[in-house]
Amino acid sequence: MADSAVLARPFRHVGFLYRTEADYAATVAGFLHDGLAAGDPCFAAIPPARISLVRDALSADADQVEFADMTQLGLNPARIIPRVAAFAGKHAGRRVRYVGEPIWAARSAAELREATRHEALINLAFADADADILCPYDTAGLAPAVIDDAMRTHPMLLSDGGHGASPMYAVPFRIPSSCSRPLPVPPHDAMSHTYRTDLSEVRALVLKHARDAGLTDARANDLVLAVSEVAANTLRHTQSQGTLTIWQDPGELVCEIHDEGTITDPLVGRRRPAPDALGGHGLWLVYQVCDLVELRSDEIGTTIRMHMAIQPPPAGE
Amino acid sequence: MDLLTTAVATVESGGEPYTLVEVAGEADVTNCDALREVLEAEVAKQPRTMIIDLSGLRFMDSSALHVILRANRTMDRQGGVLALASPREPVAKMLRLTAADQLIPVYASVREATAG
């Protein structure tokens, strides 16, 4: 259609601040119902208990909505954007609706930082997308600082039935400062190793610590791949050595790579590379295999911290 | 001991010759140029079929994957077929996560690759 560009509605990204399950069920089901009525493909990635709630509220319409368990898909929040992009890609040329709830009260501080970063990056990743995105936030269970960040990462807010622009939304695009501060310092007894040419030694160290910590063989190998990909970037993109630091935190093994490189693309690793692409796989793989990844980069250097739970999380997709 | 070793042979299967490249050890950014040279030299001979036996490969990173993807492109262009055989699980998982396994057929063994 010649005038489709004129008719196209802009990308919308709404933070939905809810207090009760009844409000949640009615608002999320209403959002999805409106989408289905308009013929828009609908996708909801929310925690399992919320899926039941929304399915009940949608009743017969529920089967037309694609649901995903956000506690699996969004365990590492860096995996969410490519998944939503895949849904939109499957329905190319149509406006899509997406409900995403990546933030819940039980998440760790590091997870909350990365989930908040993900929410901010939605605005970059889908700026030109024909999409309606609704992100529920449990104001009864989440800390006020988390809600404040939701107001910073969402251009629009919906609460108590009222809709409006968020006065705190950051323009131009900015990652909230709560998730870009320097990372907590590793413990003083962390293992540290510098490398310049030998990645085999880096991998052997990671494998040994992963096995000693009790990771399964498969997850130990995942971590080896992730660390090796990040360390390979040191060799590719810098003239100096890199540092590998390994330590255990309660319930998890952490590997960190620091080097003098600079990563400027905030969406790096969050777009699925084409199968025949001859680049762009490194951080994609890191995000796919690690439970959580934190990245800090400026003109002085880059730190990438990779987390693996000792006990494997429930199987993903 | 070299981190990465390769061995090349021309083998016959049912009267059809194919190129078999065995890659063993660990393939990463530090040695992917050596892998590229071996694969490019064989691809330049325009074989109808080339099978890369990965059974001895303990580790592969995305740099090595890109070398294989590049060889696959040239094989495609020449009308030939590249196949991968018997990757260990960590390598097989990496091929799945990058969707390279949707581009290049992956077989459980060299024998299956010759039949496929």
PDB file of all heavy atoms in Angstrom, chain B residues 97-116:
ATOM      1  N   LEU B  97      24.390 -23.021  18.129  1.00  0.00           N
ATOM      2  CA  LEU B  97      24.099 -21.671  18.620  1.00  0.00           C
ATOM      3  C   LEU B  97      24.316 -20.608  17.547  1.00  0.00           C
ATOM      4  O   LEU B  97      23.655 -19.573  17.546  1.00  0.00           O
ATOM      5  CB  LEU B  97      24.977 -21.347  19.840  1.00  0.00           C
ATOM      6  CG  LEU B  97      24.610 -22.062  21.134  1.00  0.00           C
ATOM      7  CD1 LEU B  97      25.653 -21.785  22.213  1.00  0.00           C
ATOM      8  CD2 LEU B  97      23.226 -21.636  21.614  1.00  0.00           C
ATOM      9  N   THR B  98      25.262 -20.864  16.650  1.00  0.00           N
ATOM     10  CA  THR B  98      25.520 -19.899  15.576  1.00  0.00           C
ATOM     11  C   THR B  98      24.651 -20.201  14.353  1.00  0.00           C
ATOM     12  O   THR B  98      24.706 -19.457  13.373  1.00  0.00           O
ATOM     13  CB  THR B  98      26.991 -19.963  15.145  1.00  0.00           C
ATOM     14  OG1 THR B  98      27.307 -21.313  14.784  1.00  0.00           O
ATOM     15  CG2 THR B  98      27.920 -19.508  16.265  1.00  0.00           C
ATOM     16  N   ALA B  99      23.885 -21.307  14.417  1.00  0.00           N
ATOM     17  CA  ALA B  99      23.067 -21.767  13.293  1.00  0.00           C
ATOM     18  C   ALA B  99      23.919 -22.150  12.084  1.00  0.00           C
ATOM     19  O   ALA B  99      23.398 -22.329  10.982  1.00  0.00           O
ATOM     20  CB  ALA B  99      21.993 -20.751  12.894  1.00  0.00           C
ATOM     21  N   ALA B 100      25.217 -22.319  12.290  1.00  0.00           N
ATOM     22  CA  ALA B 100      26.084 -22.775  11.194  1.00  0.00           C
ATOM     23  C   ALA B 100      25.663 -24.166  10.742  1.00  0.00           C
ATOM     24  O   ALA B 100      25.839 -24.532   9.575  1.00  0.00           O
ATOM     25  CB  ALA B 100      27.549 -22.779  11.644  1.00  0.00           C
ATOM     26  N   ASP B 101      25.057 -24.934  11.685  1.00  0.00           N
ATOM     27  CA  ASP B 101      24.621 -26.299  11.326  1.00  0.00           C
ATOM     28  C   ASP B 101      23.431 -26.291  10.372  1.00  0.00           C
ATOM     29  O   ASP B 101      23.072 -27.329   9.831  1.00  0.00           O
ATOM     30  CB  ASP B 101      24.312 -27.114  12.597  1.00  0.00           C
ATOM     31  CG  ASP B 101      23.137 -26.553  13.379  1.00  0.00           C
ATOM     32  OD1 ASP B 101      22.782 -25.371  13.166  1.00  0.00           O
ATOM     33  OD2 ASP B 101      22.569 -27.291  14.203  1.00  0.00           O
ATOM     34  N   GLN B 102      22.801 -25.121  10.189  1.00  0.00           N
ATOM     35  CA  GLN B 102      21.710 -25.031   9.214  1.00  0.00           C
ATOM     36  C   GLN B 102      22.248 -24.707   7.818  1.00  0.00           C
ATOM     37  O   GLN B 102      21.526 -24.763   6.834  1.00  0.00           O
ATOM     38  CB  GLN B 102      20.702 -23.963   9.637  1.00  0.00           C
ATOM     39  CG  GLN B 102      19.944 -24.369  10.897  1.00  0.00           C
ATOM     40  CD  GLN B 102      19.113 -23.242  11.460  1.00  0.00           C
ATOM     41  OE1 GLN B 102      18.658 -22.364  10.734  1.00  0.00           O
ATOM     42  NE2 GLN B 102      18.933 -23.254  12.775  1.00  0.00           N
ATOM     43  N   LEU B 103      23.505 -24.319   7.787  1.00  0.00           N
ATOM     44  CA  LEU B 103      24.135 -23.902   6.536  1.00  0.00           C
ATOM     45  C   LEU B 103      25.019 -25.018   5.997  1.00  0.00           C
ATOM     46  O   LEU B 103      25.116 -25.234   4.794  1.00  0.00           O
ATOM     47  CB  LEU B 103      24.996 -22.671   6.846  1.00  0.00           C
ATOM     48  CG  LEU B 103      25.185 -21.621   5.783  1.00  0.00           C
ATOM     49  CD1 LEU B 103      23.846 -21.008   5.425  1.00  0.00           C
ATOM     50  CD2 LEU B 103      26.128 -20.544   6.312  1.00  0.00           C
ATOM     51  N   ILE B 104      25.696 -25.692   6.910  1.00  0.00           N
ATOM     52  CA  ILE B 104      26.638 -26.758   6.540  1.00  0.00           C
ATOM     53  C   ILE B 104      26.141 -28.041   7.193  1.00  0.00           C
ATOM     54  O   ILE B 104      25.902 -28.064   8.392  1.00  0.00           O
ATOM     55  CB  ILE B 104      28.058 -26.442   7.089  1.00  0.00           C
ATOM     56  CG1 ILE B 104      28.491 -25.031   6.672  1.00  0.00           C
ATOM     57  CG2 ILE B 104      29.060 -27.478   6.611  1.00  0.00           C
ATOM     58  CD1 ILE B 104      29.828 -24.612   7.258  1.00  0.00           C
ATOM     59  N   PRO B 105      25.953 -29.103   6.389  1.00  0.00           N
ATOM     60  CA  PRO B 105      25.484 -30.345   7.010  1.00  0.00           C
ATOM     61  C   PRO B 105      26.501 -30.902   8.004  1.00  0.00           C
ATOM     62  O   PRO B 105      27.705 -30.873   7.752  1.00  0.00           O
ATOM     63  CB  PRO B 105      25.288 -31.290   5.817  1.00  0.00           C
ATOM     64  CG  PRO B 105      26.025 -30.675   4.674  1.00  0.00           C
ATOM     65  CD  PRO B 105      26.119 -29.198   4.938  1.00  0.00           C
ATOM     66  N   VAL B 106      25.981 -31.344   9.153  1.00  0.00           N
ATOM     67  CA  VAL B 106      26.826 -31.918  10.201  1.00  0.00           C
ATOM     68  C   VAL B 106      26.408 -33.375  10.392  1.00  0.00           C
ATOM     69  O   VAL B 106      25.226 -33.657  10.599  1.00  0.00           O
ATOM     70  CB  VAL B 106      26.665 -31.146  11.532  1.00  0.00           C
ATOM     71  CG1 VAL B 106      27.566 -31.742  12.607  1.00  0.00           C
ATOM     72  CG2 VAL B 106      26.965 -29.663  11.333  1.00  0.00           C
ATOM     73  N   TYR B 107      27.356 -34.299  10.285  1.00  0.00           N
ATOM     74  CA  TYR B 107      27.068 -35.728  10.418  1.00  0.00           C
ATOM     75  C   TYR B 107      27.774 -36.311  11.635  1.00  0.00           C
ATOM     76  O   TYR B 107      28.791 -35.792  12.083  1.00  0.00           O
ATOM     77  CB  TYR B 107      27.517 -36.482   9.163  1.00  0.00           C
ATOM     78  CG  TYR B 107      26.775 -36.051   7.917  1.00  0.00           C
ATOM     79  CD1 TYR B 107      27.317 -35.063   7.083  1.00  0.00           C
ATOM     80  CD2 TYR B 107      25.549 -36.603   7.590  1.00  0.00           C
ATOM     81  CE1 TYR B 107      26.636 -34.651   5.948  1.00  0.00           C
ATOM     82  CE2 TYR B 107      24.850 -36.196   6.447  1.00  0.00           C
ATOM     83  CZ  TYR B 107      25.403 -35.227   5.631  1.00  0.00           C
ATOM     84  OH  TYR B 107      24.730 -34.810   4.522  1.00  0.00           O
ATOM     85  N   ALA B 108      27.189 -37.423  12.130  1.00  0.00           N
ATOM     86  CA  ALA B 108      27.749 -38.047  13.327  1.00  0.00           C
ATOM     87  C   ALA B 108      29.084 -38.727  13.043  1.00  0.00           C
ATOM     88  O   ALA B 108      29.867 -38.968  13.958  1.00  0.00           O
ATOM     89  CB  ALA B 108      26.755 -39.050  13.905  1.00  0.00           C
ATOM     90  N   SER B 109      29.330 -39.078  11.761  1.00  0.00           N
ATOM     91  CA  SER B 109      30.588 -39.753  11.431  1.00  0.00           C
ATOM     92  C   SER B 109      30.959 -39.431   9.986  1.00  0.00           C
ATOM     93  O   SER B 109      30.124 -38.991   9.197  1.00  0.00           O
ATOM     94  CB  SER B 109      30.434 -41.269  11.595  1.00  0.00           C
ATOM     95  OG  SER B 109      29.519 -41.743  10.627  1.00  0.00           O
ATOM     96  N   VAL B 110      32.215 -39.682   9.652  1.00  0.00           N
ATOM     97  CA  VAL B 110      32.663 -39.480   8.269  1.00  0.00           C
ATOM     98  C   VAL B 110      31.901 -40.420   7.343  1.00  0.00           C
ATOM     99  O   VAL B 110      31.493 -40.054   6.249  1.00  0.00           O
ATOM    100  CB  VAL B 110      34.189 -39.716   8.164  1.00  0.00           C
ATOM    101  CG1 VAL B 110      34.636 -39.719   6.703  1.00  0.00           C
ATOM    102  CG2 VAL B 110      34.945 -38.644   8.946  1.00  0.00           C
ATOM    103  N   ARG B 111      31.663 -41.654   7.813  1.00  0.00           N
ATOM    104  CA  ARG B 111      30.937 -42.632   6.997  1.00  0.00           C
ATOM    105  C   ARG B 111      29.547 -42.098   6.632  1.00  0.00           C
ATOM    106  O   ARG B 111      29.120 -42.174   5.488  1.00  0.00           O
ATOM    107  CB  ARG B 111      30.810 -43.950   7.779  1.00  0.00           C
ATOM    108  CG  ARG B 111      30.094 -45.042   6.991  1.00  0.00           C
ATOM    109  CD  ARG B 111      29.665 -46.160   7.936  1.00  0.00           C
ATOM    110  NE  ARG B 111      30.835 -46.858   8.462  1.00  0.00           N
ATOM    111  CZ  ARG B 111      31.295 -48.013   7.942  1.00  0.00           C
ATOM    112  NH1 ARG B 111      30.675 -48.564   6.921  1.00  0.00           N
ATOM    113  NH2 ARG B 111      32.342 -48.608   8.454  1.00  0.00           N
ATOM    114  N   GLU B 112      28.845 -41.525   7.638  1.00  0.00           N
ATOM    115  CA  GLU B 112      27.518 -40.963   7.355  1.00  0.00           C
ATOM    116  C   GLU B 112      27.618 -39.777   6.408  1.00  0.00           C
ATOM    117  O   GLU B 112      26.735 -39.568   5.573  1.00  0.00           O
ATOM    118  CB  GLU B 112      26.827 -40.523   8.649  1.00  0.00           C
ATOM    119  CG  GLU B 112      26.233 -41.673   9.437  1.00  0.00           C
ATOM    120  CD  GLU B 112      25.501 -41.202  10.683  1.00  0.00           C
ATOM    121  OE1 GLU B 112      24.901 -40.095  10.635  1.00  0.00           O
ATOM    122  OE2 GLU B 112      25.541 -41.916  11.692  1.00  0.00           O
ATOM    123  N   ALA B 113      28.683 -38.996   6.552  1.00  0.00           N
ATOM    124  CA  ALA B 113      28.857 -37.831   5.678  1.00  0.00           C
ATOM    125  C   ALA B 113      29.048 -38.278   4.226  1.00  0.00           C
ATOM    126  O   ALA B 113      28.507 -37.660   3.310  1.00  0.00           O
ATOM    127  CB  ALA B 113      30.047 -37.003   6.143  1.00  0.00           C
ATOM    128  N   THR B 114      29.761 -39.365   4.011  1.00  0.00           N
ATOM    129  CA  THR B 114      29.970 -39.831   2.636  1.00  0.00           C
ATOM    130  C   THR B 114      28.667 -40.369   2.058  1.00  0.00           C
ATOM    131  O   THR B 114      28.410 -40.243   0.861  1.00  0.00           O
ATOM    132  CB  THR B 114      31.043 -40.947   2.566  1.00  0.00           C
ATOM    133  OG1 THR B 114      30.620 -42.044   3.379  1.00  0.00           O
ATOM    134  CG2 THR B 114      32.383 -40.448   3.028  1.00  0.00           C
ATOM    135  N   ALA B 115      27.820 -40.952   2.914  1.00  0.00           N
ATOM    136  CA  ALA B 115      26.540 -41.471   2.453  1.00  0.00           C
ATOM    137  C   ALA B 115      25.549 -40.339   2.200  1.00  0.00           C
ATOM    138  O   ALA B 115      24.689 -40.434   1.329  1.00  0.00           O
ATOM    139  CB  ALA B 115      25.974 -42.454   3.476  1.00  0.00           C
ATOM    140  N   GLY B 116      25.678 -39.234   2.995  1.00  0.00           N
ATOM    141  CA  GLY B 116      24.700 -38.154   2.931  1.00  0.00           C
ATOM    142  C   GLY B 116      24.884 -37.322   1.705  1.00  0.00           C
ATOM    143  O   GLY B 116      24.003 -36.590   1.329  1.00  0.00           O
TER     144      GLY B 116
END
